[in-house]
């Protein structure tokens, strides 16, 4: 039986990837961070089928022990401080986890003498492109990260490449564009919108307050993107791949899509920080803007070109954005009930 070890198993992607690997017959091990309350809600439905171990990406010793005890065939490094805005507030910690955490994992593989047997997947990101140097962005597009998160992930990307070239490790990076799901963390913009508007619809909340609604993203479904992670590790040779839907919409477009799904009739008024969205039935402001949610430096636009993954991995997304938004809203409405 093949063994996989996942860091970040309690996160959005970790939970979908664990399901995918269990379905394929893997023995799935996951790294759990100690917390003062339960944080396993995304994996509770498969809890009994998983082998969970305490560990942390800032703790080299825990990674070495896990790698040497489990001797996994595949390692998926999904653990991260993954919030871009928060990375401006805790840049040092973000670097410790997202940059050095990757190095610690690679060193754990080397020090356990498993360099020739383990395959390593690194959760890289379209945030590397930041202030984009080319449209659309593909594997050869120069990087220009715009946040402590992006810079930390850039280190992760390069150290993976370096260990591949220096030590012959089967180590690959998936440069994933934004991907969402009903399990998305509540402070990311799509979930904030689907959950907030669902609560407004049910009369449980007055309004949502957002930041830059003109930012553009290439949004896919986490399930599709986690399938790509597995495909990347099944390749004979390690490599880096852009994973994206190759389509782009603005945050405001996504809001309008959700408003339509929920049957709101609205009017947008004002500009910049004074822009508001008014529910024409009640006359109330349901969306406003605050500087609080703007970033010190923003990634205004991201659009992927996943031709390489589509050709070499035979991968393509199965969800469109409207289906994704509907699934998130249905989940949020059900949860409110
Ligand atoms: P997420 O929901 O925020 O999950 C992050 C996971 O990392 C959680 O399980 C978290 O544990 C864990 N973690 C945080 N700090 C850790 C530490 N010090 N040691 C060990 N584990 C730690 O993120 P996601 O959306 O699933 O993303 C998965 C990975 O893909 C991340 O590396 C992210 O940066 C990257 N990525 C995401 C996207 C996207 O659009 N979702 C796109 C590109 C790349 P707790 O549950 O205990 O907090
Ligand atoms: N979170 C948030 N909250 N973002 C907002 C808000 C708000 O109230 N209002 C506007 N935005 C804008 C952000 O400024 C950004 O331009 C866009 O919405 C998306 O923000 P997030 O959903 O927080 O995602 P992200 O693009 O910054 O980062 C996500 O995707 C990356 C891949 O490109 C994260 O999942 C990262 O971990 C991932 O690497």
């Amino acid at each position: 039986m093949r063994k996989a070890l996942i860091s970040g198993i309690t996160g959005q992607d970790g939970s979908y990837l664990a399901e995918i690997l269990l379905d394929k017959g893997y023995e799935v091990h996951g790294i759990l961070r100690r917390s003062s309350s339960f944080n396993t809600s995304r994996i509770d439905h498969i809890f009994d089928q998983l082998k969970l171990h305490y560990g942390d990406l800032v703790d080299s010793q825990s990674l070495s022990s896990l790698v040497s005890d489990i001797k996994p065939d595949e390692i998926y490094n999904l653990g991260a401080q993954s919030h871009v805005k928060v990375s401006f507030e805790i840049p040092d910690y973000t670097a410790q986890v997202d940059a050095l955490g990757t190095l610690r994992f690679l060193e754990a593989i080397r020090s356990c003498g498993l360099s020739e047997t383990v395959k390593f997947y690194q959760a890289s990101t379209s945030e590397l492109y930041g202030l984009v140097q080319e449209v659309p962005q593909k594997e050869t597009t120069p990087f220009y990260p715009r946040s402590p998160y992006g810079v930390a992930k850039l280190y992760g990307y390069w150290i993976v490449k370096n260990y591949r070239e220096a030590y012959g490790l089967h180590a690959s990076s998936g440069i994933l564009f934004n991907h969402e799901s009903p399990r998305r963390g509540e402070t990311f913009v799509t979930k904030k919108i689907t959950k907030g508007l669902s609560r407004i619809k049910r009369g449980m909340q007055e309004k949502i307050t957002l930041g830059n609604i003109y930012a553009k993203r290439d949004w896919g479904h986490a399930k599709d993107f986690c399938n790509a992670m597995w495909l990347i590790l099944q390749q004979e040779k390690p490599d880096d791949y852009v994973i994206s839907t190759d389509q782009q919409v603005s945050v405001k477009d996504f809001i309008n899509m959700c408003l339509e799904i929920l049957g709101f009739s609205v009017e947008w008024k004002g500009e910049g920080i004074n822009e508001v969205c008014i529910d024409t039935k009640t006359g109330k402001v349901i969306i406003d803007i605050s500087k609080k949610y703007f970033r010190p430096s923003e990634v205004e636009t991201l659009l992927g070109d996943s031709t390489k993954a589509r050709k070499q991995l035979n991968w393509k997304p199965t969800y469109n954005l409207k289906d994704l938004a509907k699934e998130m809203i249905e989940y949020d409405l059900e949860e409110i009930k």
Side-chain angles (χ1 to χ4, degrees):
M1 187 186 259
R2 277 189 290 177
K3 286 190 256 181
L5 173 61
I6 306 175
S7 74
I9 196 163
T10 53
Q12 170 187 259
D13 291 5
S15 66
Y16 285 114
L17 180 65
E19 284 173 5
I20 291 169
L21 296 176
L22 285 172
D23 275 353
K24 293 184 187 296
Y26 280 72
E27 180 176 298
V28 179
H29 295 255
I31 301 180
L32 202 61
R33 281 203 297 170
R34 189 303 207 223
S35 79
S36 66
S37 55
F38 290 117
N39 65 344
T40 56
S41 62
R42 292 185 179 105
I43 49 169
D44 280 346
H45 60 295
I46 47 172
F47 199 87
D48 294 342
Q49 300 168 65
L50 302 171
K51 296 182 188 304
L52 299 174
H53 315 265
Y54 282 112
D56 201 298
L57 284 161
V58 300
D59 182 2
S60 306
Q61 199 266 325
S62 69
L63 298 177
S64 294
S65 303
L66 288 172
V67 172
S68 113
D69 291 351
I70 299 165
K71 297 195 175 44
D73 301 289
E74 296 173 10
I75 294 177
Y76 295 87
N77 184 30
L78 312 187
Q81 190 304 93
S82 71
H83 203 285
V84 173
K85 172 86 166 34
V86 173
S87 78
F88 287 97
E89 281 140 52
I90 47 170
D92 184 329
Y93 178 73
T94 303
Q96 286 295 334
V97 179
D98 299 11
L100 294 181
T102 310
L103 173 68
R104 291 186 190 105
F105 232 144
L106 295 167
E107 271 300 295
I109 297 170
R110 243 166 53 81
S111 64
C112 296
L114 295 176
S115 303
E116 283 177 17
T117 55
V118 174
K119 291 180 175 178
F120 184 86
Y121 173 85
Q122 167 65 6
S124 194
T125 166
S126 48
E127 281 290 305
L128 301 190
Y129 298 119
L131 185 63
V132 298
Q133 303 292 298
E134 183 181 30
V135 180
Q137 296 85 53
K138 52 183 187 283
E139 291 79 4
T140 51
T141 303
F143 299 130
Y144 196 134
R146 292 272 281 173
S147 64
Y149 168 82
V151 175
K153 284 283 187 178
L154 186 63
Y155 178 91
Y157 171 87
W158 279 112
I159 202 68
V160 164
K161 207 175 174 79
N162 181 245
Y163 272 52
R164 179 160 84 213
E165 292 171 1
Y167 305 117
L169 264 174
H170 193 296
S172 302
S173 289
I175 306 173
L176 271 53
F177 282 61
N178 297 50
H179 46 279
E180 321 292 309
S181 74
R183 298 183 198 164
R184 187 56 146 151
E186 300 194 355
T187 58
F188 295 96
V189 79
T190 55
K191 183 72 168 176
K192 193 169 164 185
I193 292 164
T194 61
K195 187 163 185 181
L197 291 180
S198 299
R199 284 173 57 84
I200 293 168
K201 189 72 186 172
R202 291 282 179 266
M204 298 171 72
Q205 188 171 325
E206 287 275 303
K207 62 170 184 176
I208 45 179
T209 303
L210 297 168
N212 176 15
I213 58 171
Y214 291 95
K216 291 182 184 152
R217 289 292 182 274
D218 177 333
W219 274 299
H221 196 299
K223 263 191 210 172
D224 281 335
F225 283 45
C226 290
N227 266 319
M229 296 174 190
W230 179 78
L231 284 171
I232 289 172
L233 287 204
Q234 306 321 302
Q235 303 310 298
E236 201 185 317
K237 287 192 181 151
D239 205 346
D240 306 321
Y241 298 89
V242 161
I243 304 295
S244 56
T245 70
D246 303 356
Q247 282 171 24
Q248 185 191 56
V249 302
S250 69
V251 174
K252 189 171 176 180
D253 294 333
F254 183 78
I255 297 171
N256 284 326
M257 193 180 276
C258 295
L259 288 166
E260 195 191 314
I261 293 168
L262 281 161
F264 278 101
S265 138
V266 299
E267 193 184 350
W268 288 90
K269 276 192 177 162
E271 273 181 24
I273 204 85
N274 298 315
E275 189 165 5
V276 289
C277 175
I278 298 167
D279 181 341
T280 49
K281 274 192 198 141
T282 61
K284 286 185 180 167
V285 169
I286 56 170
I287 299 173
D288 64 6
I289 308 293
S290 165
K291 274 191 181 155
K292 184 179 164 192
Y293 296 107
F294 282 74
R295 288 141 193 217
S297 47
E298 172 66 299
V299 173
E300 291 288 351
T301 174
L302 289 172
L303 174 63
D305 172 354
S306 56
T307 307
K308 179 176 170 183
R310 290 175 196 234
K311 277 195 187 147
Q312 291 186 23
L313 306 176
N314 200 18
W315 173 87
K316 66 170 192 271
T318 62
Y319 280 82
N320 66 40
L321 188 58
K322 195 155 187 186
D323 292 338
L324 168 63
K326 272 190 193 151
E327 190 185 321
M328 292 176 75
I329 287 170
E330 275 163 20
Y331 178 92
D332 292 332
L333 287 172
E334 187 61 31
E335 223 193 12
I336 289 167
K337 254 203 246 167

